[in-house]
mmCIF file of all heavy atoms in Angstrom:
data_model
loop_
_atom_site.group_PDB
_atom_site.id
_atom_site.type_symbol
_atom_site.label_atom_id
_atom_site.label_comp_id
_atom_site.label_asym_id
_atom_site.label_seq_id
_atom_site.Cartn_x
_atom_site.Cartn_y
_atom_site.Cartn_z
ATOM 1 N N VAL A 89 -2.133 -8.701 -13.536
ATOM 2 C CA VAL A 89 -3.545 -8.283 -13.354
ATOM 3 C C VAL A 89 -4.481 -9.415 -13.841
ATOM 4 O O VAL A 89 -4.076 -10.242 -14.685
ATOM 5 C CB VAL A 89 -3.872 -6.972 -14.104
ATOM 6 C CG1 VAL A 89 -2.952 -5.840 -13.670
ATOM 7 C CG2 VAL A 89 -3.806 -7.135 -15.606
ATOM 8 N N LEU A 91 -8.109 -9.132 -15.355
ATOM 9 C CA LEU A 91 -9.297 -8.317 -15.753
ATOM 10 C C LEU A 91 -10.327 -9.254 -16.346
ATOM 11 O O LEU A 91 -10.020 -10.079 -17.174
ATOM 12 C CB LEU A 91 -8.828 -7.233 -16.754
ATOM 13 C CG LEU A 91 -7.747 -6.291 -16.222
ATOM 14 C CD1 LEU A 91 -7.231 -5.342 -17.272
ATOM 15 C CD2 LEU A 91 -8.261 -5.507 -15.017
ATOM 16 N N ASP A 102 -13.441 -5.554 -12.744
ATOM 17 C CA ASP A 102 -12.731 -4.633 -13.602
ATOM 18 C C ASP A 102 -12.340 -5.399 -14.900
ATOM 19 O O ASP A 102 -11.720 -6.464 -14.829
ATOM 20 C CB ASP A 102 -11.487 -4.094 -12.898
ATOM 21 C CG ASP A 102 -11.826 -2.940 -11.992
ATOM 22 O OD1 ASP A 102 -12.598 -2.027 -12.411
ATOM 23 O OD2 ASP A 102 -11.358 -2.944 -10.843
ATOM 24 N N ASP A 103 -12.723 -4.821 -16.048
ATOM 25 C CA ASP A 103 -12.361 -5.373 -17.316
ATOM 26 C C ASP A 103 -11.287 -4.468 -17.968
ATOM 27 O O ASP A 103 -10.731 -3.575 -17.291
ATOM 28 C CB ASP A 103 -13.575 -5.572 -18.189
ATOM 29 C CG ASP A 103 -14.300 -4.263 -18.508
ATOM 30 O OD1 ASP A 103 -13.788 -3.194 -18.094
ATOM 31 O OD2 ASP A 103 -15.316 -4.318 -19.124
ATOM 32 N N PHE A 104 -11.032 -4.689 -19.254
ATOM 33 C CA PHE A 104 -9.965 -3.886 -19.888
ATOM 34 C C PHE A 104 -10.413 -2.422 -20.060
ATOM 35 O O PHE A 104 -9.589 -1.565 -20.289
ATOM 36 C CB PHE A 104 -9.548 -4.502 -21.219
ATOM 37 C CG PHE A 104 -8.570 -5.625 -21.065
ATOM 38 C CD1 PHE A 104 -8.981 -6.900 -20.868
ATOM 39 C CD2 PHE A 104 -7.180 -5.340 -21.030
ATOM 40 C CE1 PHE A 104 -8.077 -7.952 -20.708
ATOM 41 C CE2 PHE A 104 -6.266 -6.375 -20.841
ATOM 42 C CZ PHE A 104 -6.697 -7.667 -20.673
ATOM 43 N N ASP A 105 -11.698 -2.128 -19.891
ATOM 44 C CA ASP A 105 -12.175 -0.763 -19.959
ATOM 45 C C ASP A 105 -11.877 -0.080 -18.625
ATOM 46 O O ASP A 105 -11.010 0.815 -18.550
ATOM 47 C CB ASP A 105 -13.690 -0.817 -20.282
ATOM 48 C CG ASP A 105 -14.349 0.545 -20.282
ATOM 49 O OD1 ASP A 105 -13.610 1.565 -20.199
ATOM 50 O OD2 ASP A 105 -15.561 0.627 -20.373
ATOM 51 N N SER A 106 -12.536 -0.491 -17.572
ATOM 52 C CA SER A 106 -12.283 0.156 -16.264
ATOM 53 C C SER A 106 -10.845 -0.083 -15.800
ATOM 54 O O SER A 106 -10.250 0.783 -15.133
ATOM 55 C CB SER A 106 -13.303 -0.295 -15.239
ATOM 56 O OG SER A 106 -13.165 -1.687 -14.986
ATOM 57 N N GLY A 107 -10.325 -1.233 -16.110
ATOM 58 C CA GLY A 107 -8.918 -1.535 -15.704
ATOM 59 C C GLY A 107 -7.926 -0.586 -16.356
ATOM 60 O O GLY A 107 -6.988 -0.086 -15.724
ATOM 61 N N SER A 108 -8.137 -0.277 -17.654
ATOM 62 C CA SER A 108 -7.282 0.693 -18.334
ATOM 63 C C SER A 108 -7.396 2.068 -17.675
ATOM 64 O O SER A 108 -6.397 2.764 -17.492
ATOM 65 C CB SER A 108 -7.712 0.911 -19.786
ATOM 66 O OG SER A 108 -7.469 -0.190 -20.558
ATOM 67 N N ASN A 109 -8.633 2.440 -17.366
ATOM 68 C CA ASN A 109 -8.844 3.777 -16.778
ATOM 69 C C ASN A 109 -8.104 3.882 -15.449
ATOM 70 O O ASN A 109 -7.471 4.902 -15.105
ATOM 71 C CB ASN A 109 -10.316 4.059 -16.614
ATOM 72 C CG ASN A 109 -11.062 4.103 -17.943
ATOM 73 O OD1 ASN A 109 -10.393 4.156 -19.018
ATOM 74 N ND2 ASN A 109 -12.369 4.079 -17.909
ATOM 75 N N ALA A 110 -8.244 2.806 -14.648
ATOM 76 C CA ALA A 110 -7.585 2.812 -13.336
ATOM 77 C C ALA A 110 -6.049 2.876 -13.551
ATOM 78 O O ALA A 110 -5.352 3.557 -12.787
ATOM 79 C CB ALA A 110 -7.978 1.537 -12.539
ATOM 80 N N ALA A 111 -5.586 2.110 -14.522
ATOM 81 C CA ALA A 111 -4.129 2.097 -14.791
ATOM 82 C C ALA A 111 -3.682 3.545 -15.140
ATOM 83 O O ALA A 111 -2.710 4.060 -14.582
ATOM 84 C CB ALA A 111 -3.827 1.152 -15.940
ATOM 85 N N LEU A 112 -4.367 4.199 -16.060
ATOM 86 C CA LEU A 112 -3.968 5.537 -16.484
ATOM 87 C C LEU A 112 -3.964 6.483 -15.328
ATOM 88 O O LEU A 112 -3.015 7.316 -15.202
ATOM 89 C CB LEU A 112 -4.932 6.032 -17.593
ATOM 90 C CG LEU A 112 -4.832 5.288 -18.930
ATOM 91 C CD1 LEU A 112 -5.982 5.687 -19.856
ATOM 92 C CD2 LEU A 112 -3.482 5.552 -19.623
ATOM 93 N N ALA A 113 -4.979 6.443 -14.500
ATOM 94 C CA ALA A 113 -5.005 7.368 -13.336
ATOM 95 C C ALA A 113 -3.859 7.113 -12.381
ATOM 96 O O ALA A 113 -3.394 8.002 -11.698
ATOM 97 C CB ALA A 113 -6.353 7.163 -12.602
ATOM 98 N N GLY A 114 -3.393 5.853 -12.404
ATOM 99 C CA GLY A 114 -2.276 5.497 -11.485
ATOM 100 C C GLY A 114 -0.909 5.523 -12.170
ATOM 101 O O GLY A 114 0.042 5.045 -11.597
ATOM 102 N N GLY A 115 -0.830 6.070 -13.385
ATOM 103 C CA GLY A 115 0.483 6.216 -14.039
ATOM 104 C C GLY A 115 0.998 4.902 -14.688
ATOM 105 O O GLY A 115 2.185 4.807 -14.973
ATOM 106 N N ILE A 116 0.080 3.971 -14.919
ATOM 107 C CA ILE A 116 0.457 2.651 -15.498
ATOM 108 C C ILE A 116 0.019 2.648 -16.947
ATOM 109 O O ILE A 116 -1.141 2.920 -17.245
ATOM 110 C CB ILE A 116 -0.195 1.514 -14.685
ATOM 111 C CG1 ILE A 116 0.414 1.420 -13.316
ATOM 112 C CG2 ILE A 116 -0.022 0.160 -15.454
ATOM 113 C CD1 ILE A 116 -0.348 0.577 -12.332
ATOM 114 N N THR A 117 0.935 2.308 -17.845
ATOM 115 C CA THR A 117 0.628 2.383 -19.288
ATOM 116 C C THR A 117 0.701 0.997 -19.976
ATOM 117 O O THR A 117 0.404 0.920 -21.160
ATOM 118 C CB THR A 117 1.558 3.358 -19.975
ATOM 119 O OG1 THR A 117 2.900 3.011 -19.600
ATOM 120 C CG2 THR A 117 1.256 4.766 -19.578
ATOM 121 N N THR A 118 1.142 -0.016 -19.252
ATOM 122 C CA THR A 118 1.176 -1.393 -19.807
ATOM 123 C C THR A 118 0.694 -2.332 -18.738
ATOM 124 O O THR A 118 1.158 -2.267 -17.573
ATOM 125 C CB THR A 118 2.610 -1.789 -20.188
ATOM 126 O OG1 THR A 118 3.071 -0.897 -21.212
ATOM 127 C CG2 THR A 118 2.671 -3.229 -20.751
ATOM 128 N N VAL A 119 -0.223 -3.231 -19.115
ATOM 129 C CA VAL A 119 -0.624 -4.299 -18.162
ATOM 130 C C VAL A 119 -0.404 -5.674 -18.809
ATOM 131 O O VAL A 119 -0.586 -5.849 -20.012
ATOM 132 C CB VAL A 119 -2.117 -4.172 -17.732
ATOM 133 C CG1 VAL A 119 -2.347 -2.888 -16.990
ATOM 134 C CG2 VAL A 119 -3.081 -4.298 -18.879
ATOM 135 N N ALA A 142 -9.691 -7.856 -24.749
ATOM 136 C CA ALA A 142 -8.862 -6.658 -24.548
ATOM 137 C C ALA A 142 -8.976 -5.672 -25.712
ATOM 138 O O ALA A 142 -9.099 -4.449 -25.500
ATOM 139 C CB ALA A 142 -7.388 -7.054 -24.385
ATOM 140 N N PRO A 144 -11.142 -4.466 -27.991
ATOM 141 C CA PRO A 144 -12.086 -3.381 -28.137
ATOM 142 C C PRO A 144 -12.106 -2.355 -26.977
ATOM 143 O O PRO A 144 -12.654 -1.268 -27.140
ATOM 144 C CB PRO A 144 -13.440 -4.097 -28.219
ATOM 145 C CG PRO A 144 -13.169 -5.530 -27.959
ATOM 146 C CD PRO A 144 -11.755 -5.748 -27.700
ATOM 147 N N LYS A 145 -11.482 -2.744 -25.863
ATOM 148 C CA LYS A 145 -11.681 -1.928 -24.669
ATOM 149 C C LYS A 145 -10.427 -1.218 -24.142
ATOM 150 O O LYS A 145 -10.516 -0.171 -23.542
ATOM 151 C CB LYS A 145 -12.172 -2.828 -23.514
ATOM 152 C CG LYS A 145 -13.579 -3.381 -23.765
ATOM 153 C CD LYS A 145 -14.026 -4.209 -22.564
ATOM 154 C CE LYS A 145 -15.412 -4.778 -22.767
ATOM 155 N NZ LYS A 145 -15.789 -5.733 -21.725
ATOM 156 N N ALA A 146 -9.240 -1.813 -24.405
ATOM 157 C CA ALA A 146 -8.045 -1.351 -23.669
ATOM 158 C C ALA A 146 -7.632 0.045 -24.135
ATOM 159 O O ALA A 146 -7.677 0.362 -25.334
ATOM 160 C CB ALA A 146 -6.902 -2.307 -23.886
ATOM 161 N N ARG A 147 -7.172 0.815 -23.187
ATOM 162 C CA ARG A 147 -6.599 2.146 -23.508
ATOM 163 C C ARG A 147 -5.099 2.193 -23.143
ATOM 164 O O ARG A 147 -4.498 3.217 -23.271
ATOM 165 C CB ARG A 147 -7.345 3.233 -22.747
ATOM 166 C CG ARG A 147 -8.813 3.349 -23.062
ATOM 167 C CD ARG A 147 -9.484 4.420 -22.251
ATOM 168 N NE ARG A 147 -10.862 4.609 -22.693
ATOM 169 C CZ ARG A 147 -11.896 3.904 -22.230
ATOM 170 N NH1 ARG A 147 -11.712 2.981 -21.328
ATOM 171 N NH2 ARG A 147 -13.095 4.109 -22.700
ATOM 172 N N VAL A 148 -4.624 1.130 -22.537
ATOM 173 C CA VAL A 148 -3.190 0.973 -22.317
ATOM 174 C C VAL A 148 -2.735 -0.211 -23.121
ATOM 175 O O VAL A 148 -3.549 -1.047 -23.563
ATOM 176 C CB VAL A 148 -2.881 0.757 -20.805
ATOM 177 C CG1 VAL A 148 -3.243 1.993 -19.972
ATOM 178 C CG2 VAL A 148 -3.587 -0.477 -20.234
ATOM 179 N N ASP A 149 -1.409 -0.355 -23.317
ATOM 180 C CA ASP A 149 -0.902 -1.513 -24.029
ATOM 181 C C ASP A 149 -0.895 -2.732 -23.150
ATOM 182 O O ASP A 149 -0.909 -2.639 -21.929
ATOM 183 C CB ASP A 149 0.531 -1.198 -24.569
ATOM 184 C CG ASP A 149 0.456 -0.228 -25.726
ATOM 185 O OD1 ASP A 149 -0.664 0.055 -26.237
ATOM 186 O OD2 ASP A 149 1.514 0.311 -26.110
ATOM 187 N N TYR A 150 -0.971 -3.898 -23.781
ATOM 188 C CA TYR A 150 -1.247 -5.113 -22.995
ATOM 189 C C TYR A 150 -0.603 -6.338 -23.637
ATOM 190 O O TYR A 150 -0.328 -6.409 -24.823
ATOM 191 C CB TYR A 150 -2.754 -5.319 -22.854
ATOM 192 C CG TYR A 150 -3.488 -5.335 -24.183
ATOM 193 C CD1 TYR A 150 -3.647 -6.476 -24.930
ATOM 194 C CD2 TYR A 150 -4.010 -4.129 -24.688
ATOM 195 C CE1 TYR A 150 -4.273 -6.473 -26.146
ATOM 196 C CE2 TYR A 150 -4.660 -4.123 -25.918
ATOM 197 C CZ TYR A 150 -4.813 -5.308 -26.665
ATOM 198 O OH TYR A 150 -5.402 -5.301 -27.866
ATOM 199 N N LEU A 375 -5.127 -1.175 -9.334
ATOM 200 C CA LEU A 375 -4.404 -0.464 -10.408
ATOM 201 C C LEU A 375 -4.292 1.064 -10.161
ATOM 202 O O LEU A 375 -3.274 1.647 -10.461
ATOM 203 C CB LEU A 375 -5.056 -0.714 -11.759
ATOM 204 C CG LEU A 375 -4.636 -1.983 -12.484
ATOM 205 C CD1 LEU A 375 -5.689 -2.482 -13.456
ATOM 206 C CD2 LEU A 375 -3.313 -1.790 -13.190
ATOM 207 N N ASP A 376 -5.380 1.660 -9.650
ATOM 208 C CA ASP A 376 -5.296 3.130 -9.410
ATOM 209 C C ASP A 376 -4.217 3.486 -8.409
ATOM 210 O O ASP A 376 -3.676 4.589 -8.462
ATOM 211 C CB ASP A 376 -6.606 3.659 -8.806
ATOM 212 C CG ASP A 376 -7.864 3.422 -9.601
ATOM 213 O OD1 ASP A 376 -8.355 2.292 -9.604
ATOM 214 O OD2 ASP A 376 -8.404 4.379 -10.175
ATOM 215 N N GLN A 443 -11.031 5.003 -10.548
ATOM 216 C CA GLN A 443 -11.543 4.564 -11.848
ATOM 217 C C GLN A 443 -11.980 3.097 -11.820
ATOM 218 O O GLN A 443 -12.741 2.658 -12.667
ATOM 219 C CB GLN A 443 -10.458 4.765 -12.931
ATOM 220 C CG GLN A 443 -10.104 6.203 -13.162
ATOM 221 C CD GLN A 443 -11.288 6.989 -13.682
ATOM 222 O OE1 GLN A 443 -11.985 6.592 -14.590
ATOM 223 N NE2 GLN A 443 -11.516 8.170 -13.068
ATOM 224 N N SER A 444 -11.486 2.351 -10.885
ATOM 225 C CA SER A 444 -11.892 0.930 -10.752
ATOM 226 C C SER A 444 -13.421 0.876 -10.574
ATOM 227 O O SER A 444 -14.003 1.761 -9.950
ATOM 228 C CB SER A 444 -11.237 0.282 -9.537
ATOM 229 O OG SER A 444 -11.879 -0.905 -9.182
ATOM 230 N N ARG A 445 -14.024 -0.214 -11.040
ATOM 231 C CA ARG A 445 -15.480 -0.406 -10.804
ATOM 232 C C ARG A 445 -15.777 -0.890 -9.420
ATOM 233 O O ARG A 445 -16.946 -1.024 -9.033
ATOM 234 C CB ARG A 445 -16.038 -1.420 -11.790
ATOM 235 C CG ARG A 445 -16.224 -0.874 -13.140
ATOM 236 C CD ARG A 445 -17.163 -1.768 -13.985
ATOM 237 N NE ARG A 445 -17.074 -1.242 -15.329
ATOM 238 C CZ ARG A 445 -16.586 -1.935 -16.341
ATOM 239 N NH1 ARG A 445 -16.249 -3.204 -16.208
ATOM 240 N NH2 ARG A 445 -16.470 -1.384 -17.536
ATOM 241 N N THR A 463 -1.108 11.286 -18.216
ATOM 242 C CA THR A 463 -0.466 10.025 -18.639
ATOM 243 C C THR A 463 -0.510 9.972 -20.135
ATOM 244 O O THR A 463 -1.568 10.162 -20.759
ATOM 245 C CB THR A 463 -1.191 8.835 -18.036
ATOM 246 O OG1 THR A 463 -1.364 9.014 -16.637
ATOM 247 C CG2 THR A 463 -0.448 7.539 -18.305
ATOM 248 N N VAL A 465 0.275 7.622 -23.582
ATOM 249 C CA VAL A 465 0.517 6.276 -24.097
ATOM 250 C C VAL A 465 0.945 6.428 -25.567
ATOM 251 O O VAL A 465 0.210 6.994 -26.359
ATOM 252 C CB VAL A 465 -0.728 5.380 -24.011
ATOM 253 C CG1 VAL A 465 -0.421 4.004 -24.610
ATOM 254 C CG2 VAL A 465 -1.188 5.217 -22.577
ATOM 255 N N ALA A 470 -3.492 10.341 -22.688
ATOM 256 C CA ALA A 470 -4.570 9.331 -22.496
ATOM 257 C C ALA A 470 -5.358 9.646 -21.243
ATOM 258 O O ALA A 470 -6.493 9.193 -21.057
ATOM 259 C CB ALA A 470 -3.954 7.929 -22.417
ATOM 260 N N TRP A 471 -4.770 10.416 -20.340
ATOM 261 C CA TRP A 471 -5.369 10.755 -19.029
ATOM 262 C C TRP A 471 -4.918 12.161 -18.720
ATOM 263 O O TRP A 471 -3.684 12.437 -18.767
ATOM 264 C CB TRP A 471 -4.950 9.769 -17.972
ATOM 265 C CG TRP A 471 -5.236 10.186 -16.563
ATOM 266 C CD1 TRP A 471 -4.380 10.781 -15.663
ATOM 267 C CD2 TRP A 471 -6.457 9.966 -15.833
ATOM 268 N NE1 TRP A 471 -5.001 10.953 -14.493
ATOM 269 C CE2 TRP A 471 -6.278 10.475 -14.541
ATOM 270 C CE3 TRP A 471 -7.704 9.412 -16.200
ATOM 271 C CZ2 TRP A 471 -7.282 10.447 -13.591
ATOM 272 C CZ3 TRP A 471 -8.684 9.387 -15.215
ATOM 273 C CH2 TRP A 471 -8.503 9.878 -13.923
ATOM 274 N N VAL A 476 -10.344 10.647 -18.446
ATOM 275 C CA VAL A 476 -9.833 9.678 -19.449
ATOM 276 C C VAL A 476 -9.975 10.359 -20.842
ATOM 277 O O VAL A 476 -11.079 10.782 -21.163
ATOM 278 C CB VAL A 476 -10.631 8.379 -19.439
ATOM 279 C CG1 VAL A 476 -10.143 7.429 -20.508
ATOM 280 C CG2 VAL A 476 -10.488 7.708 -18.051
ATOM 281 N N ALA A 478 -8.122 8.956 -23.773
ATOM 282 C CA ALA A 478 -7.904 7.943 -24.845
ATOM 283 C C ALA A 478 -9.218 7.183 -25.165
ATOM 284 O O ALA A 478 -9.966 6.874 -24.268
ATOM 285 C CB ALA A 478 -6.847 6.957 -24.404
ATOM 286 N N PRO A 479 -9.440 6.928 -26.462
ATOM 287 C CA PRO A 479 -10.617 6.112 -26.752
ATOM 288 C C PRO A 479 -10.425 4.639 -26.410
ATOM 289 O O PRO A 479 -9.302 4.109 -26.443
ATOM 290 C CB PRO A 479 -10.755 6.278 -28.289
ATOM 291 C CG PRO A 479 -9.413 6.664 -28.769
ATOM 292 C CD PRO A 479 -8.690 7.338 -27.619
ATOM 293 N N ALA A 480 -11.570 3.959 -26.152
ATOM 294 C CA ALA A 480 -11.495 2.509 -25.932
ATOM 295 C C ALA A 480 -10.939 1.860 -27.172
ATOM 296 O O ALA A 480 -11.235 2.260 -28.318
ATOM 297 C CB ALA A 480 -12.865 1.987 -25.660
ATOM 298 N N GLY A 481 -10.054 0.896 -27.011
ATOM 299 C CA GLY A 481 -9.500 0.185 -28.140
ATOM 300 C C GLY A 481 -8.168 0.785 -28.650
ATOM 301 O O GLY A 481 -7.567 0.254 -29.568
ATOM 302 N N SER A 482 -7.715 1.876 -28.005
ATOM 303 C CA SER A 482 -6.468 2.525 -28.467
ATOM 304 C C SER A 482 -5.237 1.794 -27.919
ATOM 305 O O SER A 482 -4.137 1.983 -28.421
ATOM 306 C CB SER A 482 -6.417 4.012 -28.083
ATOM 307 O OG SER A 482 -6.673 4.149 -26.702
ATOM 308 N N GLY A 483 -5.398 0.959 -26.909
ATOM 309 C CA GLY A 483 -4.267 0.144 -26.414
ATOM 310 C C GLY A 483 -3.912 -0.916 -27.455
ATOM 311 O O GLY A 483 -4.762 -1.337 -28.255
#
Side-chain angles (χ1 to χ4, degrees):
V89 303
L91 301 174
D102 280 314
D103 61 5
F104 278 89
D105 178 7
S106 62
S108 291
N109 297 347
L112 291 170
I116 292 166
T117 51
T118 298
V119 296
K145 294 182 180 171
R147 299 180 174 86
V148 295
D149 287 349
Y150 53 86
L375 275 156
D376 301 75
Q443 296 297 313
S444 164
R445 283 198 190 116
T463 309
V465 178
W471 167 264
V476 176
S482 52

